[in-house]
Amino acid sequence: MNNQLTKQIFSLIKLNNKLIAVESPLQQRPRLLTNLACECQRLDINCYLWTLEDDALHQLFTNHKGLTLQIVDQYQTIAKNRREHYFEILRFWKTTHLEGILILEGIFPWLGEQTSDPDFFLTSEWIKSALINLKLYNHSCNKTAILLGPNATVSSDIAPEVPTLIQQLPTIEEISTYLPQVLPDYSQVEIHAIAIAGVGMYLADIDYGIRQAIAPEITPDELVEKLSVYKIELFKRIYNIQFLQPPATAIGGLELMQQAFKTYKRLLTTLAKAYNLRLPKGILLIGPPGTGKSYSAKACSAKLGLPLIILEWGSFRSYGNLAEYKLKNLLALVDRINRVILYLDDFDKGFTLGDDLSKRLAGMLLTWMQERTSEVLVIASANNIEWLPPELTRSGRFDEIFKVDLPNYGERHEIFKIHLARFDPRFRNGGDGYTEQEWKRLLKATQRCVGAEIAAIVERAAVCCFCQMFGDDVSPRKELPPLEITLSALLAARQSMNPLAIREADKVESMRNIATLQGQPSSPIDSSIYSLGNVDIFG
């Protein structure tokens, strides 16, 4: 079992700390309580647990069956006679002859910053005062109170009096040490593979994921795959993020940015570390919507072979007062996974209001980016860089800023071929279904179309050609004829769409101009055979 947190707690107790805050996730609670009770029994110290839910005091014991709880009648009698509120336990522990460790579960919500609710405020202040008095009164007694909860947020007025410990996610070594208890018949190599799949989860989550996936005929490789799927679902529920393994992503154009990705891959090698070279602290992609910023992050994941975490930065605002707690946990997760890409999508939208919450979240992110030692590549995308605080865009935070612009003729040609290959076999394996003149006609018709709009044009054309090939009632066939997308279908699909860069020409041009001033180009000058022709910005 992972006893690191238990060791830290008892180290603080030996230093005569009478009040300790411990942040531990709910799923790890039984394991932590068992570890504390075991250590207390070893040291011949009584261990008690009080929970807000039932306002009952229990003494904790461990045996070969696990953790057992025995109710303390003395507290029940006294509390019943003089109960004024649910926190009578604080007065009881200050005056009782009982000694040892008291674990108080569920008290943190009253220990945060001040609130406008007068009743809540009075209760909160009484609890804070009672805790401080508890510490002073029991200074020479063998009594320690441990405040336990999933979010150990303590207001600044009492924070100096309460040292805080946080249960960290287990390392891959700790997971590898634990797994043989669950999978005794697995080899060391198989254990290591499963431990890699479990990085980023607590031991309780790994245990649950394995027991959910395990079956009599399952192979170790299948278990790794199922545990990875469970982890992705868990991350979505807990952190509201997408966790993607390196995808097989083809990207059209943006050669300069792709060249930078190759450089980042070399910086991940041990040789680069030997020369004290590192990844950039952050990369910022700026430009109009739909130009391929999110797609570029996936391409970077594929190029580097690193998993990708996608986070909508503006979504943290929905957590309100819990936003900083959520961000702290997410950054701890990213650090523990280590070699991963953190992609902050629509980064600028989190700063539109410019309020205190935005500034606090930005401050947390900046501090983490500046001080972290993990090999995490941070990529953020923004449509409007002027919404970002200036301190975010200076060197040392986002070391490289790329302008992701409207695709030129050659890039549109590559993007079209990538999407056409999804439906039309003529464009697969380097093939081509159109003549040079047909391409020039199509590319001229799609001036100022971004990658997302090109994908939509191809999909509409594919649907049109499919409907032309088959009627309403189609009998089953042994061999399906290939779907060939015609140039006329693509041109018709283009005519049915009004690109954003034409509809909102002023806004898009403003974004492009600002991006040109702030960022370096992600594409070289178009040197393809399709680069000729007059450009009419009004299409």
Side-chain angles (χ1 to χ4, degrees), residues 8 13 56 58 83-84 118 121 132 183 203-204 207 249 264 290 293 296 328-329 347 364 438 465 511 531:
Q8 293 175 336
I13 292 175
H58 295 88
R83 183 193 308 276
E84 295 178 7
F121 172 78
I132 299 302
L183 303 167
L203 296 183
D207 185 65
T249 300
Y264 304 154
K293 297 185 289 295
S296 297
K328 179 193 70 173
N329 286 349
F347 192 48
M364 285 185 67
E438 287 176 321
C465 292
M511 292 178 190
S531 62

Side-chain angles (χ1 to χ4, degrees), residues 231-248:
K231 180 166 75 172
I232 291 171
E233 295 173 350
L234 187 70
F235 285 177
K236 179 65 177 176
R237 293 200 309 269
I238 295 178
Y239 303 103
N240 195 26
I241 59 174
Q242 294 183 59
F243 182 83
L244 306 176
Q245 295 298 337

